[in-house]
Amino acid sequence: MEALFHVATFYVFAAFALAGAAISAFSRRLVYCVFALLLTFLGVAGLYVLLSADFLAAVQVLLYAGGILVLLIFGVMLTHEIADVSTEANFTDIKFGAVISGILWLLLVVYICKVPWAVLDPLPPYAPTTRAIGLQFLGDYLVPFEYSSFVLLLVVLGAATLARKEVD
Amino acid sequence: MPAPLEYLAVSCILFGIGIAGVLTRRNLLVILMSIELMLNSANLAFLTFSRLHGQLHGQVIAIFVMTVAAAEAAIGLAIVVALFRQTGSVRIDEATRLRG
């Protein structure tokens, strides 16, 4: 019973994520694209929970659905007349792009099917991960962690420099 | 629990949609969104492997990927706004000048 519930939840979240992704990558209406992205982010967050990553699921909701999506909506509003119905997003030469992406995707599928993935059997039980991740950050990953905070500082400065108004 | 291959399949399809979006769309904002999709699919693969091996390294790396995604969104949108000021449009086929 529990396994069935797990499988059903997996397919629901996967359908959410993939449908949202398809709409946001292929819709002609820019506003639809942005809001379908919310569906994807929430679906992926649900998959994270099923993968026993509770902390990352929360971060996904806070950072993607809360932060990045709001930034993107600001981007749409700053660069388009939002009341204008023609906020459409056209396609480039679709054949070329479709062929290249199809080839890349096929390569990916072939290699995923070819590699014999090692699976722990039985899988470890669900456990909270927040404390363990924090210990990793202060242990093995201390230098990358500090470095990423430096990167974020540079990003703030860079974004402010790029987007500021030129004043003579 | 669905087999790990199913999570990888979702990640793979998500990545494929992201590539197709980047290569076929003309609006810079949609391209940014497709890049976010690809980063999300990479994260999903990391977490799948983390679960399969019973280790947390994949989850820690996924947090770094999220940092990069946030940085990409911030800088990308700053570039979009700057481009819109210069050309009055965010279509990549109209951004043909190297120097504003």
Side-chain angles (χ1 to χ4, degrees), chain A residues 11 25-27 34 41 48 50-51 59-60 64 71 79 89-92 105 120 123-124 132 141 155 163, chain B residues 1 6-7 12 16 19 24-26 30 33 36 40 43 47 49 51-52 56-57 59 66 69 71 77 84-85:
Chain A
Y11 281 112
F26 302 123
S27 170
V34 181
F41 290 156
Y48 287 178
L50 291 182
L51 284 169
V59 171
Q60 168 92 1
Y64 275 101
L71 261 183
T79 55
N90 289 325
F91 288 83
T92 49
W105 193 73
L120 214 61
L123 285 170
Y141 292 93
V155 164
Chain B
M1 154 131 199
E6 296 177 18
Y7 285 97
C12 179
I19 298 178
T24 59
R25 299 306 294 264
R26 211 161 18 179
V30 183
M33 288 184 231
E36 297 290 345
N40 249 301
N43 264 350
L47 289 192
F49 295 135
R51 174 97 178 122
L52 294 189
L56 275 181
H57 297 289
Q59 299 201 11
M66 282 182 176
L77 283 169
F84 184 70
R85 283 219 191 95

Side-chain angles (χ1 to χ4, degrees), chain A:
Chain A
M1 188 61 205
E2 198 183 332
L4 187 70
F5 180 71
H6 194 140
V7 172
T9 346
F10 168 78
Y11 281 112
V12 169
F13 282 134
F16 264 69
L18 294 181
I23 295 172
S24 74
F26 302 123
S27 170
R28 281 185 179 276
R29 290 284 196 79
L30 194 56
V31 182
Y32 289 180
C33 294
V34 181
F35 282 100
L37 211 56
L38 179 66
L39 209 62
T40 308
F41 290 156
L42 294 182
V44 172
L47 291 179
Y48 287 178
V49 173
L50 291 182
L51 284 169
S52 171
D54 50 348
F55 178 68
L56 270 158
V59 171
Q60 168 92 1
V61 172
L62 286 176
L63 188 81
Y64 275 101
I68 291 180
L69 203 69
V70 171
L71 261 183
L72 284 170
I73 292 171
F74 267 113
V76 173
M77 292 198 300
L78 283 174
T79 55
H80 292 80
E81 306 289 329
I82 201 75
D84 189 3
V85 190
S86 69
T87 46
E88 56 180 352
N90 289 325
F91 288 83
T92 49
D93 183 10
I94 200 162
K95 264 177 280 171
F96 183 67
V99 168
I100 301 264
S101 55
I103 291 172
L104 284 172
W105 193 73
L106 269 182
L107 272 179
L108 216 56
V109 171
V110 166
Y111 274 94
I112 285 182
C113 293
K114 229 166 94 176
V115 176
W117 301 108
V119 183
L120 214 61
D121 192 35
L123 285 170
Y126 286 99
T129 55
T130 314
R131 180 187 153 83
I133 289 179
L135 287 177
Q136 292 270 351
F137 271 140
L138 295 179
D140 290 348
Y141 292 93
L142 184 61
V143 174
F145 183 60
E146 296 296 332
Y147 182 70
S148 72
S149 66
F150 182 62
V151 167
L152 285 178
L153 175 69
L154 287 185
V155 164
V156 171
L157 292 176
T161 314
L162 276 173
R164 77 177 200 280
K165 272 210 168 71
E166 298 279 343
V167 182
D168 293 325

Side-chain angles (χ1 to χ4, degrees), chain B residues 48-75:
Chain B
T48 309
F49 295 135
S50 160
R51 174 97 178 122
L52 294 189
H53 294 275
Q55 288 182 343
L56 275 181
H57 297 289
Q59 299 201 11
V60 177
I61 299 288
I63 290 182
F64 290 125
V65 174
M66 282 182 176
T67 314
V68 170
E72 178 255 324
I75 294 286

Side-chain angles (χ1 to χ4, degrees), chain B residues 27 53 98:
Chain B
N27 189 313
H53 294 275
L98 272 183

